Amino acid sequence: MRDAEEFDALYAACAGRIVGHVYALTGNRGEAEDAVAEAFMRAWQRWRTVREADSPEAWVRRVASRIAVSSWRKTFNRIRAHRRSAVDQTVPGLNEDHVALLQALQRLSPNQRRAIVLYHLNDLSVAEVAAEMQAPTGTVKTYLARGRRAMADLLTDTHHEETHHG
């Protein structure tokens, strides 16, 4: 019974945060929810190992991110084809700033996007991001610097387009 209670407590404490993290990585809430559900299923199957991890939440977040990125890579060509057509990309409940942010995040490299999301949206330290990404802190700092620079350029370009066309 202790296992189920501990697992349920972990789920209640962090499932929403992890969905938000994966959503920021993928830009698709349904995919995020599916990836997180799959990650929690895997965590339950390996619960005795997962609960002993330094951070069970980080374990689930890492697995969910990998699942989502794998899924994202498989469907990338389909998404690109849809973008070429005149598909409405609006998402109910999101304002223009949120949409611009998600679109800019999607244009970063996967490592830059992951570092930006972990650091800025999940409030992890550089050391924690490095541990989760299994990369040296210097590499994470580079991902963050390049990602921020790219985001600034992308968001500035979006703003200039809107002010000149709107």
Side-chain angles (χ1 to χ4, degrees):
M1 196 59 159
R2 178 177 156 239
D3 287 344
E5 290 170 0
E6 287 177 352
F7 182 83
D8 290 348
L10 174 70
Y11 183 87
C14 67
R17 277 195 304 269
I18 298 172
V19 168
H21 164 81
V22 177
Y23 176 51
L25 287 175
T26 64
N28 183 306
R29 183 157 180 95
E31 283 182 28
E33 290 170 347
D34 290 347
V36 172
E38 174 73 17
F40 271 105
M41 184 188 74
R42 292 181 188 181
W44 177 246
Q45 291 170 339
R46 298 163 181 81
W47 182 242
R48 289 200 168 103
T49 302
V50 173
R51 80 167 176 221
E52 298 301 323
D54 288 340
S55 171
E57 178 176 351
W59 189 97
V60 174
R61 184 173 49 242
R62 189 169 34 255
V63 170
S65 297
R66 287 179 183 155
I67 291 166
V69 168
S70 174
S71 172
W72 183 78
R73 285 180 182 144
K74 290 175 188 173
T75 59
F76 181 71
N77 289 330
R78 279 183 271 168
I79 291 170
R80 214 165 40 179
H82 285 292
R83 284 185 178 161
R84 286 187 198 122
S85 63
V87 174
D88 179 16
Q89 292 188 20
T90 60
V91 177
L94 291 182
N95 66 32
E96 291 176 15
D97 291 339
H98 287 116
V99 172
L101 179 64
L102 288 172
Q103 288 175 338
L105 279 168
Q106 290 175 9
R107 293 181 65 188
L108 299 178
S109 75
N111 285 330
Q112 289 172 353
R113 179 173 49 247
R114 189 165 178 217
I116 293 281
V117 169
L118 287 168
Y119 184 80
H120 289 287
L121 300 180
N122 288 317
D123 294 323
L124 299 184
S125 69
V126 171
E128 291 169 325
V129 173
E132 183 147 336
M133 291 183 73
Q134 298 175 337
T137 56
T139 301
V140 169
K141 288 178 182 179
T142 300
Y143 291 151
L144 288 169
R146 290 180 181 166
R148 286 183 197 119
R149 196 167 27 250
M151 293 280 295
D153 290 344
L154 292 166
L155 294 172
T156 301
D157 289 347
T158 302
H159 176 70
H160 286 304
E161 288 175 14
E162 288 173 1
T163 56
H164 288 93
H165 298 303

